[in-house]
């Protein structure tokens, strides 16, 4: 009897997960906006950056440890907020957060999670957890979510700023995406009937219709002042791609910025995040921490992102694929795999500390001949 092929990289987990997930979940996790140009670019553009290694360096000791807003983590690889982990595995977000705790890194819970902030906090105590937030038309909903995040020990709020409306994800429209009847968006429990309304939508993507009714399309940078007025938690903004918006975010008083295009699920044709990163980092100039998500699939991808100024990377789809394959252990395995890949990439490029990487480590392929 032949054994199953060993899973040795993120792409292996993706292929395995796609063979397991049903069409509803598969389409939701895989799809990007419209023609999926940016979805392709998020991964492909990492390859446009080439590493300039240093030789004859003592790399017998390598440090991967860093910190996020003062909280220490074992390596600069964290779990981004993604919705509906229970589509991948019955333990859902709890399994993903347990893996993050075991690996001593940060987990961000989505507002649209299938596990509540309270349940996750009680199941995964004494760990670094942040809470992702949307500003709602009914501000009392957002206010109650903030209160719960504070009560249950979340250390930061991650405000998503790129989603006044949901982008068109054609797979979700074709599949008439819904949560299965046994699942709901638990963070709305006790706040709003919205937790059960997603499945009541009859046509198209139920999530798209739901978010149109739920998200506040009038939100501006000025509304961060309102958010900061109701919480003592640091505010991180997720969804910045330009220098102009980075400056708006800093002026609004945010603690950190996540360079993100929402997994290429919002506006097709925007820059990949790895290509937007340098512009944002240059504008920020060290005033706040900068992180990046989108397209990270290898340790060399992480090395390039850190060299370009990100303090850490956040993983979305790779975590969901690993969760689908083997639950908590799968997420642990993929975090371990990427940390090992990052360490090896550092050693082979003559680097010894993730906190000391600099932009001269990488160069755009198109510029190599000019050097």
């Amino acid at each position: 009897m032949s054994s199953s092929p060993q899973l040795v990289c993120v792409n292996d987990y993706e292929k395995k997960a796609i063979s397991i997930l049903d069409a509803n979940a598969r389409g939701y996790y895989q799809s990007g906006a419209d023609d999926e140009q940016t979805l392709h670019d998020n991964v492909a553009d990492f390859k446009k950056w080439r590493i300039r290694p240093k030789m004859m360096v003592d790399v017998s000791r390598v440090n991967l440890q860093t910190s996020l807003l003062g909280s220490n983590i074992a390596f600069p690889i964290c779990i981004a907020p993604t919705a509906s982990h229970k589509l991948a595995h019955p333990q859902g977000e709890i399994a993903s957060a347990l893996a993050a705790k075991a690996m001593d890194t940060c987990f961000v819970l989505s507002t649209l999670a299938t596990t509540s902030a309270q349940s996750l906090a009680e199941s995964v105590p004494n760990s670094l957890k942040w809470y992702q937030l949307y500003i709602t038309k009914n501000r009392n909903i957002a206010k109650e979510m903030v209160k719960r995040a504070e009560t249950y020990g979340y250390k930061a709020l991650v405000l998503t700023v790129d989603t006044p409306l949901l982008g068109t994800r054609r797979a979700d429209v074709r599949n008439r995406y819904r949560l299965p009847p046994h699942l709901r968006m638990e963070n709305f429990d006790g706040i709003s009937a919205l937790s059960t309304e997603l499945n009541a939508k009859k046509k198209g993507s139920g999530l798209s219709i739901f978010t149109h009714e739920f998200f506040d399309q009038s939100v501006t940078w000025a509304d961060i002042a309102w958010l900061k007025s109701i919480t003592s938690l640091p505010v991180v903004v997720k969804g910045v791609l330009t220098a102009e918006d980075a400056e708006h975010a800093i002026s609004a008083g945010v603690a950190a910025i996540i360079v993100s295009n929402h997994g290429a699920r919002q506006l097709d044709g925007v820059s990949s995040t790895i290509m937007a990163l340098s512009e944002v980092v240059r504008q920020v100039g060290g005033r706040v921490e900068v992180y990046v998500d989108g397209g990270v699939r290898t340790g060399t991808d992480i090395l390039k992102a850190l060299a370009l100024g990100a303090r850490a990377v956040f993983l979305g789809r790779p975590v969901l694929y690993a969760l689908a394959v083997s639950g908590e252990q799968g997420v642990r395995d993929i975090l371990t795999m990427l940390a090992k890949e990052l360490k090896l990439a550092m050693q082979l490029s003559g680097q010894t500390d993730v906190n000391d990487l600099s932009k001269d480590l990488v160069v755009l392929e198109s510029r190599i001949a000019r050097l």
Side-chain angles (χ1 to χ4, degrees):
M1 181 182 295
S2 63
S3 61
S4 298
Q6 187 178 3
L7 304 177
V8 300
C9 63
V10 168
N11 286 341
D12 286 349
Y13 277 89
E14 178 175 1
K15 291 173 185 175
K16 181 68 173 176
I18 296 311
S19 73
I20 294 170
L21 295 166
D22 64 30
N24 190 55
R26 184 170 62 248
Y28 180 66
Y29 289 159
Q30 275 194 304
S31 61
D34 297 317
D35 288 334
E36 300 184 342
Q37 173 190 344
T38 301
L39 181 66
H40 169 269
D41 292 348
N42 266 0
V43 175
D45 282 356
F46 274 96
K47 296 177 176 59
K48 294 180 180 179
W49 288 98
R50 295 300 176 129
I51 298 168
R52 302 177 64 245
K54 296 178 180 179
M55 304 306 172
M56 299 297 286
V57 176
D58 180 358
V59 291
S60 58
R61 294 184 180 180
V62 173
N63 175 54
L64 298 184
Q65 295 180 1
T66 190
S67 62
L68 302 182
L69 301 181
S71 297
N72 294 328
I73 54 176
F75 43 65
I77 309 167
C78 307
I79 297 181
T82 50
S84 306
H85 285 215
K86 287 183 181 177
L87 288 175
H89 189 274
Q91 280 192 294
E93 289 84 0
I94 289 174
S96 300
L98 284 169
K101 178 181 178 179
M103 303 307 298
D104 194 19
T105 193
C106 180
F107 174 84
V108 188
L109 182 69
S110 170
T111 283
L112 304 181
T114 42
T115 302
S116 71
Q118 178 179 356
S119 294
L120 188 127
E122 290 173 350
S123 300
V124 194
N126 305 314
S127 63
L128 181 58
K129 298 180 289 291
W130 293 356
Y131 185 86
Q132 180 271 333
L133 183 74
Y134 296 101
I135 293 181
T136 51
K137 290 179 179 178
N138 180 348
R139 294 297 172 92
N140 288 331
I141 295 176
K143 192 171 183 179
E144 179 60 26
M145 288 185 177
V146 169
K147 179 180 177 182
R148 291 180 181 184
E150 291 180 332
T151 298
Y152 298 120
Y154 292 77
K155 299 301 183 184
L157 297 174
V158 178
L159 178 66
T160 295
V161 297
D162 60 9
T163 314
L165 299 164
L166 213 64
T168 300
R169 301 146 193 188
R170 293 171 183 167
D172 288 348
V173 176
R174 293 185 184 107
N175 294 334
R176 297 178 60 251
Y177 171 73
R178 305 288 186 277
L179 285 176
H182 66 287
L183 299 179
R184 66 186 188 282
M185 294 181 290
E186 293 188 6
N187 284 313
F188 293 96
D189 289 357
I191 303 176
S192 170
L194 290 171
S195 61
T196 58
E197 283 186 6
L198 171 59
N199 289 349
K201 309 306 178 184
K202 300 300 183 184
K203 296 181 179 180
S205 166
L207 185 61
S208 180
I209 299 167
F210 164 82
T211 53
H212 184 274
E213 297 173 1
F214 164 58
F215 295 165
D216 187 349
Q217 289 87 46
S218 70
V219 170
T220 70
W221 289 108
D223 289 296
I224 291 180
W226 169 79
L227 181 58
K228 287 171 62 68
S229 76
I230 64 169
T231 184
S232 59
L233 294 177
V235 175
V236 178
V237 292
K238 174 180 177 289
V240 169
L241 292 171
T242 66
E244 294 87 345
D245 277 345
E247 193 60 42
H248 284 310
I250 292 172
S251 297
V254 306
I257 292 169
I258 302 178
V259 176
S260 175
N261 54 33
H262 212 109
R265 293 161 67 79
Q266 283 298 100
L267 178 62
D268 197 22
V270 300
S271 173
S272 66
T273 51
I274 193 63
M275 288 303 188
L277 180 58
S278 292
E279 177 181 334
V280 173
V281 168
R282 185 167 53 249
Q283 183 67 29
V284 167
R287 289 176 289 172
V288 299
E289 294 181 2
V290 177
Y291 322 123
V292 67
D293 69 19
V296 175
R297 297 294 185 270
T298 66
T300 52
D301 290 345
I302 299 167
L303 179 67
K304 293 171 184 179
L306 300 179
L308 289 169
R311 191 169 185 85
V313 302
F314 283 77
L315 305 177
R317 289 181 180 90
V319 169
L320 296 169
Y321 295 144
L323 184 66
V325 171
S326 48
E328 177 190 341
Q329 188 59 53
V331 181
R332 286 196 194 198
D333 289 346
I334 213 165
L335 290 171
T336 301
M337 177 190 300
L338 287 170
K340 287 181 178 179
E341 289 181 7
L342 171 60
K343 181 179 180 181
L344 180 59
M346 290 179 64
Q347 290 173 306
L348 294 177
S349 60
Q351 308 299 314
T352 60
D353 194 321
V354 293
N355 301 293
D356 295 334
L357 300 177
S358 60
K359 192 174 181 180
D360 64 1
L361 178 60
V362 296
V363 62
L364 276 172
E365 185 177 46
S366 59
R367 294 186 58 195
I368 290 176
R370 304 176 196 171
L371 295 180

